[in-house]
Amino acid sequence: MPRPRTFDEADVIARARTAFAETGFAGTSLDTLLEATGLARQSLYNAFGGKKELFMRAFLSDAAEAVDAVESIRHGSDSPLTRIRSQLVKVAVEHGSAQAAPSLFTKAAVELSARDPEVASAVAAAFASMSEHYAACIAEAQAAGEIDAAADADSLGAFFCAVIEGMSTLGGTGAPRATLLDIGLTSMAAIPITDLGRDHLGTDDGDWS
């Protein structure tokens, strides 16, 4: 009979996520991975199949969390437009000056999308889901009269997905919080906000901070 596992699979995947996020797929040796996870070589192969398989488990886990973080924009008691602004501020605060932990999702998207169809497909699916969440929030704001009904919610959703992921990436390179905040709040100018929307934001003079 096979011996029972003596490790927590979720913990191993979380440790692998951290290792891969710091040095990427190519830069993370099997020995480094074994040290980070605490697994023996044969245990890793028996449980996960190998380095690439463990990487994909870790990457898909990180991608799912990235999508879940954006999905939260669709909930809350604040007005839809206020929730969008709050998300931009949150990203600036959390990622400014490389304060946030490295993102495996971002690292993998940059390193592997161009040459690994499996990663590219997962990245595209995640970005599509994120864009849909932003678009849904935009549509909700339109229904509430905060944003011009003629605006293209899908295009704005994709725009904010790109802005926020760009802010996260810049933050990882050391861009200060103030710079990210300026980028995020300036992006609000892309939204055709109505007078009601300005009232909900608590400003009518273009000062979104």
Side-chain angles (χ1 to χ4, degrees):
M1 295 179 62
R3 288 186 294 179
R5 292 181 179 178
T6 58
F7 60 86
D8 182 271
E9 187 171 293
D11 180 62
V12 169
I13 292 172
R15 290 171 180 270
R17 279 173 58 178
T18 299
F20 283 124
E22 289 176 349
T23 53
F25 179 76
T28 304
S29 68
L30 184 58
D31 286 341
T32 298
L33 201 55
L34 295 176
E35 181 178 357
T37 61
L39 292 180
R41 185 181 300 262
Q42 195 58 49
S43 294
L44 186 149
Y45 281 107
N46 288 343
F48 298 99
K51 174 184 171 180
K52 176 61 185 299
E53 290 79 6
L54 179 54
F55 169 83
M56 287 305 302
R57 292 282 297 277
F59 166 65
L60 292 174
S61 173
D62 205 50
E65 284 195 11
V67 172
D68 287 345
V70 173
E71 196 269 343
S72 65
I73 199 174
R74 301 176 66 172
H75 307 291
S77 57
D78 292 332
S79 72
L81 197 54
T82 301
R83 296 200 300 270
I84 292 172
R85 183 180 63 179
S86 295
Q87 184 81 343
L88 292 164
V89 173
K90 177 183 177 182
V91 170
V93 170
E94 291 183 350
H95 291 269
S97 301
Q99 295 181 106
S103 165
L104 176 55
F105 176 70
T106 301
K107 178 80 75 174
V110 173
E111 179 187 6
L112 298 174
S113 287
R115 56 190 177 87
D116 189 311
E118 187 177 9
V119 171
S121 177
V123 168
F127 276 121
S129 294
M130 292 179 195
S131 296
E132 288 173 6
H133 290 316
Y134 284 116
C137 196
I138 294 290
E140 185 182 348
Q142 289 176 304
E146 295 182 328
I147 295 176
D148 188 337
D152 187 329
D154 290 337
S155 293
L156 285 172
F159 169 75
F160 278 106
C161 181
V163 168
I164 286 192
E165 290 306 309
M167 288 169 62
S168 300
T169 301
L170 284 173
T173 68
R177 177 185 300 178
T179 298
L180 300 187
L181 188 61
D182 184 53
I183 292 170
L185 298 181
T186 298
S187 72
M188 293 289 288
I191 306 177
I193 301 172
T194 65
D195 289 340
L196 177 62
R198 292 179 184 278
D199 289 342
H200 286 172
L201 288 174
T203 180
D204 59 3
D205 60 4
D207 179 11
W208 306 113
S209 60

